[in-house]
Every structure is written in C-alpha cells, then in structure tokens.
Amino acid sequence: MSQFTPDPDWLPFHPSPSKPAFVPPAGAVDAHCHVFGPGDIFPYAPKRKYTPCDAPKEKLWELRDHLGFTRNIIVQATCHGADNRALVDALLHSDGKARGVATVYQDVTDEELHSLSEAGVRGVRFNFVKRLVDALPFDSLHEIASRIKPLGWHIVIYFEAAELPELYDFFTGLPTTVVVDHMGRPDVSKPVGGAEFELFVKLMSENTNFWSKVSCPERLSLEGPPFYSDVIPFARHIVESFPDRVLWGTDWPHPNMKNHMPDDGHLVDVIPHIAPTSELQQKLLIDNPMRLYWPDEAT
Ligand code: 0GY
C-alpha cells in the first residue's frame, strides 16, 4: 500500500495506447513528458497542489518504444517541487536517451547544479500556472536565470495565455534560450489571428531566443479526441512560422486531465496535421530537440 493516494478525480494514463498511423522519423524526440514517483521511493512534495498516480520511468520507456520515438525530454513536474530525484534517476537509467528540465529554487548550490548537469539536465522550468504553483518572485527567478546561464542551460516557461500581457516584459528580459510550454496555452475558442494569440506570435517573432512546444492538443481542445481539430490551426501556424524553434511532446502521463485521458497514439497522429511536410517533421522531431539537448550529436 503506497503512502500516497491519488486525488479522487485523478485520471490515470492510458493503459494501452493505440499504435499511431504516423511513423515518426528515426531518432524522434518526445520533448515534453514527466515521471511521477514512484511515491514510495521518490516522495511527492509536501507543498504539492495535486497527488498523481505513480508514472515511473519504465512505463515512459515502454511508451517511447511503442510510439516509435527514440529519446525523451523529461520535465520536472510540480508534484515533486524542487526535489529532482525522480527526474535524475530516470535520466541516469535512460542509456543517454533522456535529458531533463529541473525545478530549482534560489537556495540551490553550485554543486547541486553541477550534478544535475552531469545527470543530463539542460534547463530549468519557471511555472506561472496558478493552480499548480505559487510562482517565485521575479527577482528570485532572475537570480536563478543568471546562475544557470553559464551552464548553457535554457529556461522553460509555463503560463496561461491570459497572463502573457503582464509577464511579457519579464519573459523578454530573460538571458537564455526560452522554451514556451504548449504555445502559451491559447484559448482555442478565439481566432488564430485574434489579439490574444497574436501577442504570443509577436513574442516568438520579435525574440529569436524564444522557442515553442506545439504540444498538448488534449489540454487545449474544446472539441476533444481523437482529432483535436480546433487546436491544429494554432500549432500549424507556429510550426510553419518558426520551423527551427519548435518542439513536440506527448505530455505523458497527462497530469490534471479532468475530462478525458488521451490515447497517446492519437496524439502522435496529430503531428502530420501540424507539420505537414517531411522537412517540417524532421525539424520538429529531430533537428530542433537535438540542437537544444544533444548539441554534440546534432547534425
Ligand atoms: C503539463 C501540465 C501540467 C502540470 C505540470 O508540472 C506540473 O505539475 O506540468 C498541467 O496540469 O497543466 O505541462 O504537463
């Protein structure tokens, strides 16, 4: 019996995702996913805002192979706070096929940063989604940014579209490559050409250090599975406008999905709709993530 019980409305990840029809190019990278626990070995953070089901690394590797991917970028989830042990354990047991994005606070030591780097961490995540975290103050985040910049790391930012106007100047003042989770979570009931998404497009256009993950149709869609069609115009616009600065990920094990749990095979089948040519698919799934996470092996 685990010491942790998942939240009563917690949806577990899909037990047997379908085989996607789309075959990713050899060497493809799932650039946004998480590991949770197992809680008995890597306890969830006391200050977490949710308690998930365990989603251990072995299940992630199974999914990677089943979907036809080769590598993973594992992003520290808020349920583990700034305790990166589950992430580091996964990286160290990945045969070099995973890199990570950690969460650190200001009190992190240089030794800790160094050992995270050795394990394969290449970035930190700044989270502004209020249901997930109490965001750190800007001056703390600036200090963390200046500490991780010399390591060659980047910053991943997670926020809701409605918050972008007030966060815009802080974001553009960041000194590293900045990767935006899930296109800044657009409200897809609004038009692609509307003011809200235009601000995100402006952020990407005017700041060439900004990248975007074109992930999470399942989180953004009002229409839902299996096609998530209402999200496609947003993602496709970003892929076609910034083909060298986009990443794609499953978001497995899909934390905090309340209405449905996606079949990961269906999510992979969205890829050819948002990146319709083999050249765009190669950039999205291989060239871009390799440049950011495995620069020594990138072609
Ligand atoms: C995601 C999304 C979520 C959660 C987290 O760190 C987290 O807890 O990322 C979410 O609930 O939106 O990107 O996987």
Side-chain angles (χ1 to χ4, degrees):
M1 189 60 191
S2 168
Q3 61 174 310
F4 295 101
T5 306
D7 294 339
D9 60 347
W10 191 265
L11 294 181
F13 54 85
H14 197 294
S16 53
S18 57
K19 192 86 181 158
F22 173 69
V23 178
V29 183
D30 172 354
H32 185 92
C33 48
H34 310 283
V35 288
F36 295 153
D40 283 347
I41 304 175
F42 304 111
Y44 299 113
K47 288 193 179 162
R48 67 191 180 279
K49 305 249 181 188
Y50 62 85
T51 305
C53 290
D54 288 341
K57 59 184 183 297
E58 295 80 5
K59 288 282 176 197
L60 179 60
W61 311 152
E62 260 175 46
L63 180 79
R64 173 198 68 200
D65 296 346
H66 174 75
L67 297 177
F69 281 71
T70 301
R71 301 178 196 239
N72 296 99
I73 307 305
I74 305 174
V75 178
Q76 172 78 351
T78 56
C79 56
H80 279 295
D83 175 352
N84 295 286
R85 283 177 294 168
L87 167 66
V88 164
D89 172 73
L91 299 180
L92 294 178
H93 290 90
S94 72
D95 285 330
K97 291 194 215 149
R99 297 277 200 240
V101 174
T103 296
V104 300
Y105 300 147
Q106 250 175 314
D107 60 0
V108 68
T109 64
D110 286 342
E111 290 71 29
E112 284 164 340
L113 288 175
H114 179 74
S115 89
L116 288 170
S117 237
E118 289 282 295
V121 168
R122 295 292 179 268
V124 285
R125 193 183 200 201
F126 292 173
N127 198 324
F128 301 90
V129 177
K130 293 188 173 106
R131 70 187 159 78
L132 293 174
V133 284
D134 302 319
L136 296 180
F138 287 163
D139 53 352
S140 305
L141 295 173
H142 274 303
E143 192 185 318
I144 294 168
S146 67
R147 301 266 310 281
I148 60 96
K149 182 178 158 64
L151 300 169
W153 291 11
H154 58 273
I155 295 167
V156 172
I157 54 177
Y158 192 26
F159 59 91
E160 308 271 2
E163 317 273 343
L164 181 55
E166 69 191 69
L167 293 166
Y168 196 96
D169 291 345
F170 170 73
F171 289 161
T172 57
L174 291 171
T176 62
T177 294
V178 180
V179 181
V180 179
D181 277 342
H182 320 330
M183 302 181 282
R185 293 189 62 107
D187 175 347
V188 301
S189 68
K190 296 180 180 166
V192 179
E196 192 177 89
F197 199 59
E198 274 297 304
L199 186 64
F200 177 62
V201 173
K202 173 174 181 274
L203 179 73
M204 291 288 296
S205 308
E206 295 184 359
N207 301 278
T208 54
N209 60 324
F210 274 67
W211 294 41
S212 177
K213 289 178 199 161
V214 286
S215 40
C216 274
E218 75 284 9
R219 229 173 248 298
L220 305 173
S221 181
L222 302 173
E223 186 186 294
F227 301 121
Y228 305 106
S229 308
D230 48 350
V231 183
I232 287 169
F234 292 81
R236 186 163 167 165
H237 184 58
I238 297 300
V239 170
E240 290 182 334
S241 304
F242 312 104
D244 298 311
R245 294 188 271 134
V246 283
L247 301 170
W248 183 89
T250 53
D251 194 34
W252 186 90
H254 312 289
N256 300 304
M257 289 296 295
K258 299 298 181 208
N259 298 321
H260 77 290
M261 180 49 58
D263 173 331
D264 299 90
H266 294 161
L267 298 178
V268 173
D269 279 332
V270 173
I271 295 173
H273 298 281
I274 64 177
T277 67
S278 56
E279 194 191 345
L280 288 171
Q281 292 160 12
Q282 169 78 23
K283 286 172 185 261
L284 177 67
L285 299 173
I286 300 179
D287 297 350
N288 300 341
M290 289 301 288
R291 212 161 70 246
L292 196 58
Y293 291 98
W294 284 272
D296 297 346
E297 295 174 50
T299 49

